[in-house]
Amino acid sequence: MQASKKIPFEDPMVLNGVRALYVVSNLIIAGIYLYIQQQINRKRDMTVIKYVEPAPMGSAEEPKAVTTTVHAYDLQQLRALFKSQLMGVGMMGVMHLYFKYTNPLLIQSIIPLKGAFEGNLVKVHLFGQPAVGELKRPWKAAAGLMSGLSGGDIKIDKKSIETAERSGRGGAKEE
């Protein structure tokens, strides 16, 4: 952040260079995600996973039992990553084009790219790390601004799954 304050954004060449860096960064991320989607569809892992999704915070609903496949789970996670990236591009577009902020362009060229390479899907499908330990599905939600609002962690123990299935909310298989 401090280094970005020293960059002369008033110079049109510098500003266009940073804009190009931002666009290239987002194209790299989109390319990574599209490659991961190809890998997920190529592997088509139909191993069944069961977990209990916590109820939304502040609601009186019961936790929801989810039965899905690794393939469907990975595609769901990838969709969430795409959506998150598009939200970031939209917010950056408003901040830069409407409010004329330039400093966040440089920062948002670096941080999302770093985050993309640290994601679980990238570790498993791009870097080929085995899905064991922390990479075992379902993954814990990444600590972030909105993580406190989710209502808790995903549970994978047998007792929690059976309790949620018996409660009547969930248990339906997601395809």
Side-chain angles (χ1 to χ4, degrees):
M1 190 67 171
Q2 296 300 320
S4 72
K5 290 181 180 177
K6 298 183 189 310
I7 296 174
F9 287 110
E10 301 82 37
D11 182 5
M13 290 295 287
V14 171
L15 182 59
N16 285 335
V18 173
R19 285 175 178 158
L21 178 68
Y22 180 74
V23 169
V24 167
S25 169
N26 279 290
L27 288 175
I28 289 170
I29 293 170
I32 289 168
Y33 290 166
L34 288 171
Y35 176 77
I36 289 172
Q37 184 178 22
Q38 273 186 324
Q39 293 302 310
I40 292 169
N41 288 331
R42 185 174 295 143
K43 289 178 185 174
R44 204 158 188 76
D45 187 353
M46 293 300 174
T47 306
V48 175
I49 54 174
K50 288 184 176 186
Y51 61 94
V52 177
E53 208 170 70
M57 190 170 163
S59 75
E61 295 178 6
E62 295 286 323
K64 179 182 169 188
V66 178
T67 303
T68 187
T69 63
V70 169
H71 179 258
Y73 182 80
D74 284 358
L75 286 177
Q76 174 191 6
Q77 295 296 312
L78 187 63
R79 237 178 270 116
L81 287 174
F82 264 124
K83 212 181 288 187
S84 170
Q85 191 62 27
L86 286 175
M87 287 292 293
V89 168
M91 288 172 60
M92 192 66 240
V94 168
M95 287 175 62
H96 180 64
L97 299 174
Y98 185 74
F99 293 117
K100 308 291 184 216
Y101 290 132
T102 53
N103 284 12
L105 272 177
L106 180 65
I107 293 146
Q108 291 301 313
S109 298
I110 300 165
I111 293 174
L113 193 59
K114 176 184 172 280
F117 281 111
E118 292 174 347
N120 290 331
L121 277 174
V122 173
K123 288 178 183 176
V124 171
H125 294 288
L126 186 66
F127 298 141
Q129 294 180 5
V132 293
E134 279 196 20
L135 294 179
K136 187 175 189 296
R137 294 168 187 89
W139 296 310
K140 288 185 166 89
L145 186 61
M146 302 301 280
S147 65
L149 300 176
S150 68
D153 283 336
I154 290 174
K155 294 185 173 102
I156 57 172
D157 60 289
K158 198 169 190 145
K159 184 180 178 192
S160 298
I161 293 170
E162 288 174 0
T163 305
E165 284 176 343
R166 267 189 261 119
S167 73
R169 181 170 188 262
K173 186 173 182 177
E174 292 180 7
E175 296 287 338

